[in-house]
Amino acid sequence: MDKVDVIIPAYKPDQKFLSLIKRLECQSVPVNRIIVMNTEQKYFDRLIYGTSFQKDYHNIIVKHLAKREFDHGRTRNKGVSHSDADYFIMMTQDAVPADEYLVEKLLGQLQRKDVAVAYGRQLANEDSSEAEKYTRNFNYPDQSVVKTKADLERLGIKTFFCSNVCAAYDRKIFDTLGGFVRHTIFNEDMIYAAKAVEAGYGIAYTAEAKVFHSHDDGYRKQFHRNFDLGVSQAEHPEVFAAYPSESEGIRLVRQTVSHLRKTGHRRQIPHVILQSGCKYAGYVLGKNYRRLPGRMVTALSSDKDYWR
């Protein structure tokens, strides 16, 4: 039977992380090992202190690293190096499987030899705002699709859209393509997906594989996050220059505002507009970060250690 491991970068994990682990242990297709790439040991120790975590979960490997060592690409590659499974699933610490079929549905897509990666559907948490719920449905609809090079003219940048919040990889293909880019502030998943598409593989969006994952972040956090997003696109023009994402962002804002009007949530519209302005400002500054003073770049980024 093919083995599958789950790899989770963690930083200051909380109770949601523990919920994730519990759900992973109850999957219809058993997980071989859970490999946690934890940043700063003290935070992990604080979470599990006084619990039976280590006794309850024998298939978990925890590797600790300092905050200055973390990198979105390199750290995930190190996690993969600790796995000998045929397939591995990348997840984030705040994504919780919606049911026991997450692993089964993702692996089902990878049985196709022309699919390099299969990513899951992200559902908004129950307490999310209506705007956040609509955004999740916009980016993660209820219809599955396999995207290939043939879709570039029609889908543009969305052909490469993929999320390591929950994504399964064929290990042989991953190794053949050289893994994740080794140094990036963001978008290691889309950069890999673009490489896979160019090599002739498909990217499978798997709507039946569901996780609860959403954020109602404040304006400042959205600004910093989108600054880093812009930086990653500026640093990888081979992926993003030919397929700009601005038009897709504008379409999302327009449709979200229209949805809020139609559903009686007009009070959320000013928030969406302000939030979108912060996102766009951060994104534009990030794409032009080379024109900014070094200290300003560090101040605008959410990942200060990336610039050291």
Side-chain angles (χ1 to χ4, degrees):
M1 182 178 177
D2 291 335
K3 292 193 297 186
V4 56
D5 289 340
V6 178
I7 300 167
I8 310 169
Y11 178 57
K12 297 183 179 180
D14 57 15
Q15 291 301 314
K16 193 168 284 187
F17 169 80
L18 297 179
S19 297
L20 162 59
I21 299 300
K22 288 179 183 177
R23 294 284 181 95
L24 287 176
E25 297 287 13
C26 300
Q27 292 293 300
S28 60
V29 173
V31 173
N32 177 51
R33 287 190 294 181
I34 299 171
I35 300 166
V36 181
M37 299 299 292
N38 179 70
T39 301
E40 298 296 344
Q41 182 172 352
K42 61 183 178 181
Y43 299 120
F44 194 88
D45 290 347
R46 189 178 300 166
L47 175 69
I48 67 171
Y49 180 77
T51 72
S52 58
F53 181 88
Q54 291 174 312
K55 185 167 66 175
D56 292 342
Y57 304 116
H58 299 289
N59 64 334
I60 294 183
I61 300 171
V62 182
K63 299 291 184 179
H64 298 290
L65 59 149
K67 194 168 185 297
R68 67 179 180 279
E69 296 176 290
F70 176 82
D71 182 273
H72 280 268
R74 184 174 60 249
T75 299
R76 286 177 168 86
N77 283 335
K78 284 185 177 179
V80 175
S81 74
H82 295 299
S83 169
D84 62 356
D86 307 281
Y87 305 99
F88 64 87
I89 299 174
M90 284 290 165
M91 296 193 72
T92 55
Q93 67 187 48
D94 57 348
V96 179
D99 56 38
E100 67 269 33
Y101 302 108
L102 175 71
V103 174
E104 178 182 329
K105 297 300 183 182
L106 289 174
L107 293 190
Q109 293 280 22
L110 294 182
Q111 300 314 301
R112 293 180 46 166
K113 297 306 178 185
D114 60 340
V115 170
V117 53
Y119 68 102
R121 185 182 186 191
Q122 296 182 30
L123 305 173
N125 293 309
E126 196 172 318
D127 59 351
S128 296
S129 66
E130 185 64 24
E132 179 65 13
K133 290 176 181 176
Y134 183 82
T135 297
R136 291 291 149 178
N137 284 328
F138 179 93
N139 288 323
Y140 303 94
D142 59 4
Q143 293 294 318
S144 298
V145 63
V146 176
K147 301 171 292 183
T148 68
K149 203 170 186 177
D151 296 305
L152 279 169
E153 186 174 346
R154 179 175 61 91
L155 294 177
I157 194 68
K158 292 209 81 172
T159 308
F160 307 140
F161 186 72
C162 179
S163 176
N164 271 343
V165 164
C166 177
Y169 293 80
D170 183 301
R171 177 64 184 273
K172 287 184 180 178
I173 297 174
F174 183 83
D175 289 344
T176 299
L177 295 178
F180 297 118
V181 60
R182 286 159 181 76
H183 185 53
T184 183
I185 196 169
F186 212 66
N187 271 334
E188 81 292 333
D189 38 23
M190 285 186 68
I191 295 167
Y192 176 83
K195 185 164 50 174
V197 168
E198 290 298 327
Y201 295 103
I203 308 301
Y205 168 59
T206 313
E208 300 81 14
K210 296 171 285 189
V211 294
F212 288 106
H213 178 262
S214 59
H215 299 284
D216 283 304
D217 291 331
Y219 303 133
R220 177 176 292 185
K221 192 169 183 178
Q222 290 282 9
F223 175 91
H224 291 307
R225 177 182 173 83
N226 280 269
F227 179 85
D228 293 346
L229 176 67
V231 169
S232 72
Q233 293 196 10
E235 292 188 336
H236 294 278
E238 76 280 4
V239 175
F240 300 102
Y243 307 101
S245 59
E246 288 87 342
S247 60
E248 190 68 13
I250 293 170
R251 187 166 76 93
L252 171 58
V253 174
R254 286 176 175 170
Q255 292 192 17
T256 302
V257 169
S258 176
H259 172 77
L260 293 174
R261 284 197 182 110
K262 290 176 182 176
T263 56
H265 294 88
R266 290 174 177 265
R267 290 185 178 180
Q268 292 185 30
I269 293 176
H271 166 71
V272 169
I273 293 173
L274 282 170
Q275 183 186 63
S276 300
C278 290
K279 285 181 177 180
Y280 185 68
Y283 171 76
V284 170
L285 285 168
K287 286 197 76 172
N288 293 279
Y289 81 95
R290 291 186 178 93
R291 302 179 184 180
L292 304 176
R295 288 185 180 181
M296 180 180 289
V297 169
T298 304
L300 297 179
S301 175
S302 64
D303 187 354
K304 314 300 183 188
D305 293 296
Y306 180 80
W307 305 99
R308 292 175 183 168

